[in-house]
Every structure is written in C-alpha cells, then in structure tokens.
Amino acid sequence: MSLKILALVGSLRSGSHNRQLAEAARGLAPSDVEIEIFEGLGDLPFYNEDIDTEADVPAAATKLRDAAGRADAFLLFAPEYNGTIPAVLKNAIDWLSRPFGAGALVGKPTAVIGTAFGQYGGVWAQDEARKSAGVAGAQIVDDVKLSIPGSMTRFAETHPADDPEVAEQLTAAISKLVANVSA
C-alpha cells in the first residue's frame, strides 16, 4: 500500500511555478508515495457556514474533503500574494477545517513549501499557511521549509524538476514529510 499525500497549490495560474514545483514533487516522490495534485481549488465557493450543510454542501467542497480524507499527509504550495497567503489556499484550509475539531486536516502531517518572485521566496505566505492549517488541526511539520526566491527568473527557462538544487531540496522535504507520517 502506498502513502498518499494530497498537494494543494495556492496558485490558479496556468503557468504557475508553484504548480510546476508540485509536479516536480510528484515526479521525485519515492515509488511507495503517491502525491496527488488536487484539481479544482478555483471551483470552491468562499467558505460560508450557511452552505456547509448536508443538504447544501457544494460539490467542489465534497470533492476536496473526499480527496483529503483519503490522504495520509498534505503538502501545501504557497506563493505569496501581497505579502500573505493566497485566498484560494486559505479558502481550501477553511473548508477542510470543518466540522470544527474533526476536519480532514486534523492530526495529519502537513508541510508548506513554495516559490515566489520576491527575494525571500514566499516565507510570509508559507508562515501564514502553516498557522492557518495548524489552527485547523493539522500536524505541522516545522522542519520542512523550502522557500525558493526569484521564481520568475529562476524558472523562466527551467522547470523546477530540472534544477538540481531544487530537486535535492524537494526530495529532502518529501522525505521529512513521509518520516512524520511513519512516526
């Protein structure tokens, strides 16, 4: 049986470097680890408790919660938008935080990594994502940190999977996350 990691990418842009980083992670994962990149974060309505009922829960939220329920761990890819977490990623965490205390994130190892254009690689956004997921009950893997600066130039002509330094760091991050699931 393989270990399942659900990847949530906080950028909806088709050429997203964080999406490429998630693809690289999927390709670098050990053979007994499956990284599923969730498709459909852009389809989620903003979290609203009025529609989070058995009769009204949106299909996109059910799809996310089902995928999260099958996951053993989470790998969040957080670009930085105006110094903080992208709304689409925060919204996904909000949907996964419910029902309070029993949401799909509760107790599951979760790591946050990413790349951004700025010189710090999205550190603020990643810190905010860790905070939000932790409040939602995730077991944050604090020793997994990967913030790659200068994404627009670094990955202008190179996919993250083809950057030896990034591939090495990404492989180490996946290994640490997997070790926390096994622990």
Side-chain angles (χ1 to χ4, degrees):
M1 185 173 109
S2 70
L3 186 81
K4 295 188 184 302
I5 297 173
L6 186 63
L8 303 179
V9 179
S11 174
L12 302 178
R13 190 171 58 86
S14 62
S16 164
H17 295 119
N18 279 281
R19 171 64 187 221
Q20 292 176 2
L21 196 61
E23 292 165 354
R26 185 174 55 200
L28 292 167
S31 61
D32 61 340
V33 175
E34 175 191 343
I35 297 180
E36 174 191 350
I37 301 171
F38 184 79
E39 304 293 345
L41 288 186
D43 299 330
L44 281 171
F46 283 113
Y47 184 79
N48 177 343
E49 201 169 5
D50 290 343
I51 61 172
D52 191 9
T53 66
E54 232 178 276
D56 295 325
V57 69
T62 299
K63 178 182 170 189
L64 174 63
R65 286 174 172 167
D66 288 347
R70 293 188 303 271
D72 299 301
F74 296 91
L75 188 54
L76 309 183
F77 293 83
E80 193 166 274
Y81 289 6
N82 298 315
T84 193
I85 184 175
V88 68
L89 185 56
K90 174 65 169 76
N91 190 44
I93 293 168
D94 289 346
W95 278 103
L96 293 175
S97 73
R98 301 288 193 235
F100 183 75
L105 288 169
V106 172
K108 292 187 182 178
T110 302
V112 181
I113 63 176
T115 185
F117 178 67
Q119 64 181 339
Y120 301 111
V123 171
W124 289 345
Q126 292 168 34
D127 286 346
E128 290 295 317
R130 281 184 198 92
K131 179 175 121 186
S132 184
V135 169
Q139 175 199 332
I140 302 301
V141 182
D142 285 320
D143 63 340
V144 174
K145 292 195 174 158
L146 178 56
S147 304
I148 304 165
S151 61
M152 297 299 279
T153 52
R154 183 163 192 163
F155 303 125
E157 297 179 19
T158 303
H159 192 283
D162 298 326
D163 181 316
E165 181 184 11
V166 170
E168 181 181 329
Q169 293 171 334
L170 199 48
T171 299
I174 294 165
S175 295
K176 287 179 184 177
L177 179 58
V178 168
N180 275 270
V181 175
S182 306

